[in-house]
Amino acid sequence: MSCARGVTEDGRAKVKSPSGTLSTAEAISVLTSGLALAAHFGDGVLRAADVAGGITGAVVQDPVADRAVWQEYLETVIRDRDDWSDFYRACRDVTG
C-alpha cells in the first residue's frame, strides 16, 4: 500500500491512511516481537498469529479512527490476497 496516496500499489483499491505511520523502528519491533513469540511459545517458525498483535498495536494508535482504518484495510486489501488468509484471520482475531 502506498500510504502517501492511500492507494494500493496495483491501483485497484483506495483506502484511508491511519493517523500515524509505521516507523522503521516499529516495524523492526513488530518482527522481533513476533520472532520472540514464535521461539518461546510456538515451534520457532514465525507465523501470522505471531505478528498480528504487534502490527495491529503499531498501526492502531487512535483506538477509534485507526481501528476503523485498519479494519477497512484488512477487508479491502488483505482479505482477497492469495496466500494471506492466515494473516487476515490472525489480524481479525486480534482486532475483534
Side-chain angles (χ1 to χ4, degrees):
M1 179 173 99
S2 174
C3 291
R5 296 179 300 141
V7 178
T8 57
E9 280 187 17
D10 61 10
R12 292 188 310 168
K14 180 166 178 53
V15 294
K16 296 177 189 124
S17 296
S19 61
T21 58
L22 189 66
S23 71
T24 302
E26 287 172 314
I28 291 168
S29 177
V30 167
L31 185 58
T32 303
S33 173
L35 289 168
L37 289 170
H40 294 286
F41 300 107
D43 60 4
V45 175
L46 183 65
R47 300 190 191 284
D50 300 320
V51 177
I55 192 75
T56 300
V59 170
V60 180
Q61 298 292 318
D62 178 324
V64 176
D66 291 343
R67 179 182 164 105
V69 170
W70 180 236
Q71 287 177 321
E72 177 188 28
Y73 184 74
L74 290 173
E75 297 302 323
T76 305
V77 178
I78 301 298
R79 181 182 66 190
D80 296 328
R81 287 194 175 175
D82 294 335
D83 300 326
W84 284 58
S85 60
D86 289 344
F87 184 69
Y88 170 76
R89 280 192 305 274
C91 289
R92 291 289 299 161
D93 288 347
V94 170
T95 304

